[in-house]
Amino acid sequence: MTEPLSFELSRPAVDPPRLPEAEVAGPGPADLLPHDALRSRPPGLPRLSEPEIMRHYSRLASLNYSISENFYPLGSCTMKYNPVVNETAAALAGFAGLHPYQDEDSVQGALELMWRLERALCAVVGVERVTLQPAAGAHGEWTALRMIAAFHHSRNENRTEVLVPDSAHGTNPASAALSGFQVVEVRSGPDGRISLADLESKLSPRTAALMLTNPNTLGLFEREILDIAEMVHATGAMLYYDGANLNAFMGICRPGDMGFDAVHMNLHKTFTTPHGGGGPGAGPVGVKAELVPFLPAPTVERTNGHLTLDYKRPQSIGRVRTFYGNFGMLVRAYTYILAMGGDGLSQASQDAVLSANYLRKLVEGDLEMPHEGPCMHEFVASAHNLHDTGVRALDVAKALLDKHFYAPTVYFPLVVPEAIMVEPTETESKDTLDSFARSVKEIVSRARTDPASLHAEPTNLPVGRLDEVTAARRINAYLQGTSEDPVLRWKAPSDGAS
Amino acid sequence: MTEPLSFELSRPAVDPPRLPEAEVAGPGPADLLPHDALRSRPPGLPRLSEPEIMRHYSRLASLNYSISENFYPLGSCTMKYNPVVNETAAALAGFAGLHPYQDEDSVQGALELMWRLERALCAVVGVERVTLQPAAGAHGEWTALRMIAAFHHSRNENRTEVLVPDSAHGTNPASAALSGFQVVEVRSGPDGRISLADLESKLSPRTAALMLTNPNTLGLFEREILDIAEMVHATGAMLYYDGANLNAFMGICRPGDMGFDAVHMNLHKTFTTPHGGGGPGAGPVGVKAELVPFLPAPTVERTNGHLTLDYKRPQSIGRVRTFYGNFGMLVRAYTYILAMGGDGLSQASQDAVLSANYLRKLVEGDLEMPHEGPCMHEFVASAHNLHDTGVRALDVAKALLDKHFYAPTVYFPLVVPEAIMVEPTETESKDTLDSFARSVKEIVSRARTDPASLHAEPTNLPVGRLDEVTAARRINAYLQGTSEDPVLRWKAPSDGAS
Amino acid sequence: MPYLVHSPEDRAAMLETIGVESIDDLLVDIPQSLRLDGLQLPAGLSEFDTMAELSTLAARNRVFPDRLTLRGGGVYRRFIPAAVAAVTSKPEFYTAYTPYQAEASQGTLQAIFEYQSLIAELTGLDVSNASLYDGATAVAEAAMMAYVQTGRNEVIVSGYVHPEYVQVLRAFGEGRGIKVRKGGEPNKKTAAVIFQQPDFLGLLVDARALTQAAHDAGALAIACVDPISLAVLAPPGEYGADIAVGEGQQLGLTPSFGGPHVGFLACKKELVRKMPGRLVGVAHDAQGRRGFVLSLAAREQHIRREKATSNICTNHSLCALGAAVYLTYMGPYGLKQVADVSFRRAHALAERLKALPGWELAFPEKQFLNEFPMRVPKAPAVLRKLGRKGILGGLEVGRWFRELKGVVTFTCTEVNDARALDELVEALQS
Amino acid sequence: MPYLVHSPEDRAAMLETIGVESIDDLLVDIPQSLRLDGLQLPAGLSEFDTMAELSTLAARNRVFPDRLTLRGGGVYRRFIPAAVAAVTSKPEFYTAYTPYQAEASQGTLQAIFEYQSLIAELTGLDVSNASLYDGATAVAEAAMMAYVQTGRNEVIVSGYVHPEYVQVLRAFGEGRGIKVRKGGEPNKKTAAVIFQQPDFLGLLVDARALTQAAHDAGALAIACVDPISLAVLAPPGEYGADIAVGEGQQLGLTPSFGGPHVGFLACKKELVRKMPGRLVGVAHDAQGRRGFVLSLAAREQHIRREKATSNICTNHSLCALGAAVYLTYMGPYGLKQVADVSFRRAHALAERLKALPGWELAFPEKQFLNEFPMRVPKAPAVLRKLGRKGILGGLEVGRWFRELKGVVTFTCTEVNDARALDELVEALQS
Ligand SMILES: Cc1ncc(COP(=O)(O)O)c(C=O)c1O
Ligand SMILES: Cc1ncc(COP(=O)(O)O)c(C=O)c1O
């Protein structure tokens, strides 16, 4: 069952909603503004009544899989349970109703929350200070690299390269490039870990930083992290930590202790702020002492109980977004940390590792395991063993959808052919993991007996497998002007429809 | 897809939730209470973690049809859109946080709201006063009959009978009986309206009241209502209005003007408080002057702006529930009335009548229409015309479910064989009514070509048609002690499972 | 206009299809003399102005913080898990009707089946119904059951049962000609003995003895119980009560000035056919899949009409759902901790209060859980003073019981932390 | 522990299946020297105590009522239909991830497709992306697009653009070696001219002339617009701007101390391949059913890595959903009324304020919509006084612009009713 677009449900003369009236007489826009400043015809927004609107969105909602109803083992994304109380807290009028430009005295509670959250995050990752400004992980990566650049610059060093492992997430090289660095790729060894030899050969006086996540995107802990840190620091470069995998070791170890100088965290992963179908998230960045002067302004400072925003930071890289970050998300993350406590967070990571190794064990007979375990909080399998059947990782993913599971991350990391990256998280029960494993087994055996049926998956969802190739071709046609159909938006039939 | 019971998901040693601790030392229950007052073993509640609980209920929710996603043409139930702002209003701390035994001075806003709602309802139905105490329509019927009994009693009249049309809702005779009256049935004439001749013959000095709804449960307006009122009053009896059909004529006419002495209203129908899968609702009762002395206590009184609860009502029938009624529902209904206003309510009823007649027109070729139109806000069709195909109203209902529509009310009212009672309400679009009619047409033609397929409906729902006969047999076995399986509840497998 | 979907064009097209000129042509059956033009009500407001108006009304009420609320008397402040509202605010639940079409209502049906099972486990009885309006109507319905079952027309209300419950019982009884007697020994005219455990003052009664006495006289024993107390107290099923009823507000529902809350009713299987209201049971489809349906409908008004066990139709489903979420969240040990914390705090508070000059326990010889009656000098003045300090003090019960003038019941639960109780005592000493 | 699902038994069973003794056996790859035992954080709290703590923090903030809030400067109080939260609080939306698996994410994908279409309609441009973090990063991303498109490395910021947007633009620019120039004529080094309409002070700029000048110099014109203003003002598409960006907070999002809000970005089709972020497009399945998918991914970091148009991955989907609900609720005429009411009230207020002794419009010759700058004698004292009376007065912009010392911008919207404005003026006169 699919749902029409709001634009398609729209009817010309439906009443607009009742809205406040201007009690005051006096001039309107048309009376005062020059004619050519005015809009010539009303925007083509749909016209629907409230009951139709609510039903429209209710039906759309029912077309989604989400953690609220489905196991969502999306590797590298830490799709864990989002506590409902987080939402209650963020909705408190004392938070949701604050204007960012109120006087500091009138927002002491908000600043106190930010300060406490900063302290808590420092304790979890082992750094000196944290900026809460970045809106997401990639934003945090870029912010950190700006700080690293400023640091080197302040020492009149001209370092132009950032090293990134071949297994790294795409945002790492992209953030490095946006920050003005050349990206140099470091190879992974056969054991799935970064090759020290290759790293050695890539490190140079031009190296500004090495970006690493640990456990790496294969879910493997970089055993030689301490040597790596030493090598990097020896060349005067900095070590950057991509915190997407923080869920693996809260209370077990800390990036700061491993030698990382800057660390971003995805509050929308490890700290249960909801993903929202693609954000908003929050990507705070923690730094060691040498980088503190370069933090974005303002920082939150606390002097005998009184909180202030410190804008006077001469060496700061400046501002990376408006105001103070995604405050609503910070409230949710702090709520989670309060409820879990140090004990809860540590147990969460241990359960995450336990669940990943358990599930890995259950499916290791069915899918290829390119690297040896134990894994940390996630593992990367491969559908390569189905190659001869013509069944690919994508087919396995789609078949899982038909069994009411969201699919693992596929084809990432790029270093593993037919990669299937599975992150169960600590909030999924053993029963759920068992039934997921049974489904994998069933699909793999079907690959041997009836591969064609897998290419046809999914069949129980609102739509079948969508033809992205044709879609892309139609977009090109539009962009090249050979077609009127925008494909990327609705347009009134008259002027060419989707 | 079905969902296990919470009891089946339960696992022995799951942590209980974190809860406040008693900071105080000092004795616990086991220290102070006599041993035989204590529970011998903990209640057999399930043990689940919060993530499992939330997913369990999210999945259950997805097994329901509801107005939020489905057209719900359930006759006599007025399943109209439930405005979301009603929920926001009822959740305001200033309402949800009030203790019913706070001093009157501290709840002036709540009392003011009740007073205003009473005034508004008086204006809509044309009565003197309204009690907001009853929790639902049936409760309101019974409350009104208690008042009518008290009224006759106060005049030393011994009236023991209540007249109820054969087309009346089951709660009418039940309420009359619970109130100590004998129920005398009045027949409907061939035109679907009450037979004046039969009424004449049943009216007597023993008659306490006639219970009527108008439009009646066939959706037809009782044209001779004024004569009926006269006849009833002439015998010294009272005329009671079942307000379930109030949505038909707000701003068009009023039961009070028709001669009704007591009127109940279903705020969970006409006034958009949500049905909640079977309540809570609210069933206020409005009365003319003669019945005012008998209203339940307390009433809300207002004297120059100050509001009080009046308990000193010597002739009152007493109390019909705790406190002041389903206050949270009263807030929702008042919110709706404020937003709609007199103009909105009138238009709502006109649209409800329009939609019912429109839909009736669309399906009159496919289903039998036992009575002539026009109808008011709903109409009763009959699947009798499919008799020869072996397809029954129930089959039509189940087939509609498979088309994502909830089913109309079937087999009510009892006076129409194979009744299919359809109430579209004013909040369903023409498109929705059109597609519903198309589905009816398709089903009816399938009845002619492939009746068997209809007996098998529904097939796209979480479960197929459920076998209530076997279920009833198993319940009997349990109640007669020939089976251990309670059927009406879960029981730990050891002690006999469902 | 808000919530209306038809555009003028739609209306015109629909009239044309029907084949009439105007709405009036559809209203021909209504005598002209009855026709109004419109309602004597103000015009509608925008959503913004509507909420502004309601917020103004809400602001004219005084809300006491949970932690400083010590008033009970049938409605209590308790910790409500966010999970409860998260579930009951799902439109799939709250905008559905009574589940007449089972196949399209499995969510509601299964949730209610779970509720019935939870209440049965809690009360230790065989079967629970799908919910009633409130505690008071639950008591009255139970009395009706006893009346029908025994054919006797007198019920005894033993001890301090909630006065409003008794008033509702009287109103119900009158219709059926049932006499309500306060106290006294059951005899062969007695259909049931009704007691509340703990009673309206918070005191424990000897439920076993009362049950025994009822049974000895051939009457039923109806226990009106506090659902949270059942985490520690013997459940009615253990001491042989025939019917357990009560108010479920404490199971995750907000006070909301007294409603909507939920009445629960559970009984021995011998009485199931006399039960009021809905009952959800298990059924299977042709493929053997388990589902849930409304069962034993033959007891109900829509089938039995004037012979029905009750007239109830719409009940309090959504409140029952909330209670089910609450009980599932708590589990056996969570519920026990809630009861235990409340007990300990209440007893600690009682010790401190009776140390105040002139204050004493009204019934020092009696046991209580987390609500208890104190004799308080100048009670009205004391409570007003607390009010001024933002504390909702105890409840004056003399309002209902002449012999209890000057007696105030105080309630303590898990929401009244130690600091709150200190504030209370300080306020009283000041 | 909260939110953890494994029981001790579960853990034991899982370890056994894995074939290890303990969790530590799974952590062998971590050097011993790095192992901690636990975190230096307090133990967890119950949900009740957690909420008590957060409520205490929230209570340490002062919330000014909507109607008495006259401060804008990038974040505005507007009427937010209850429908918005009712949709964005649906778990199916807010607990889903970025819709990588299209078939199981049609709800999010279609909603975002509708958002893109709404923004395109509003701005009069060809294509909108799926959202960015905020208005400031949207400006910066637009500048990057111009830099890549033109191969020129200077952008001109014309007039009073939000100072924080400019700061963010500078920080972004530095990485790429893009110079940010304040004002001046565009020339052949100029990649883009960036202006805000209405500007940071609320004043209208000559968007057509600025766009023309940019184009004459072969630069792009980037219009940073107030989305609600577009109900009355000519949209960027009408006057030929190449890229429109802006902050979407006013479209149904709460102030929340500055975030999360949403940045929107729309452009001419020639620029689509340079666009940052997600783009949802139409696709069909084998049966010809229409669906929606993430499109043109080849621009993005997960495919292009260091060559991507941007590094953005997680964006602000849920905020975009909220904006889509808001715009759909309003429709063309609702949005126009909101803009119109705000305009009329603001102009009425301006008249009353400039009548106050010593007060004057800072730019009497300029036009504005619903935010306007006034010269206010003793501004700091005046604003403090308003604060004491519970009014959040205007914004002192001298903090960012030396030449604007003593200038305060006031904002009026549909939430500031006539009575509220009377209260303001009275407070100022007192
Ligand atoms: C390993 C890794 N790094 C960085 C990111 C980027 O984080 P965000 O999507 O919040 O920008 C992600 C999330 O997708 C990730 O998995
Ligand atoms: C005609 C009629 N009368 C009375 C009632 C009883 O109302 P309630 O279910 O609120 O008790 C109903 C509702 O089902 C009804 O349709």
Side-chain angles (χ1 to χ4, degrees), chain B residues 76-77 136-139 141 169 171-172 213 217 242 244-245 264 266 268-269, chain C residues 97 100 133 313-314:
Chain B
S76 196
C77 298
H139 200 205
E141 295 170 13
H169 191 265
T171 51
N172 292 186
T213 181
T217 48
D242 175 334
N245 295 336
H264 95 255
N266 300 69
H268 45 299
K269 293 181 178 176
Chain C
Y97 202 79
Y100 294 131
Y133 305 138
C313 179
T314 291

Side-chain angles (χ1 to χ4, degrees), chain A residues 8 64 97 275 277 322 398 476, chain D residues 77 96-97 103 108 134 273:
Chain A
E8 294 162 341
N64 263 7
H275 281 259
T322 41
K398 300 303 184 189
N476 290 336
Chain D
R77 290 300 188 97
Y97 201 78
E103 302 84 358
T108 295
D134 67 358
R273 292 187 188 286

Side-chain angles (χ1 to χ4, degrees), chain A residues 76-77 136-139 141 169 171-172 217 242 244-245 264 266 268-269, chain D residues 97 133 313-314:
Chain A
S76 195
C77 298
H139 200 206
E141 295 170 14
H169 191 266
T171 51
N172 293 186
T217 47
D242 175 333
N245 295 336
H264 95 256
N266 299 70
H268 46 299
K269 293 180 178 177
Chain D
Y97 201 78
Y133 305 138
C313 179
T314 291

Side-chain angles (χ1 to χ4, degrees), chain D residues 315-373:
Chain D
N315 48 84
H316 276 209
S317 226
L318 195 71
C319 303
L321 171 64
V325 176
Y326 177 90
L327 288 170
T328 307
Y329 177 93
M330 288 297 170
Y333 298 99
L335 200 68
K336 193 165 195 313
Q337 181 169 350
V338 163
D340 189 78
V341 170
S342 306
F343 183 98
R344 292 174 191 273
R345 288 182 176 171
H347 283 75
L349 178 64
E351 289 304 313
R352 296 174 70 176
L353 292 184
K354 75 184 200 216
L356 295 168
W359 288 52
E360 54 187 36
L361 287 170
F363 298 88
E365 72 290 0
K366 295 246 177 96
Q367 295 288 356
F368 61 91
L369 293 185
N370 64 313
E371 187 166 22
F372 56 93

Side-chain angles (χ1 to χ4, degrees), chain C residues 330-345:
Chain C
M330 288 297 171
Y333 297 98
L335 199 68
K336 192 166 195 313
Q337 181 169 349
V338 163
D340 189 79
V341 170
S342 306
F343 183 99
R344 291 174 192 272
R345 287 181 177 173

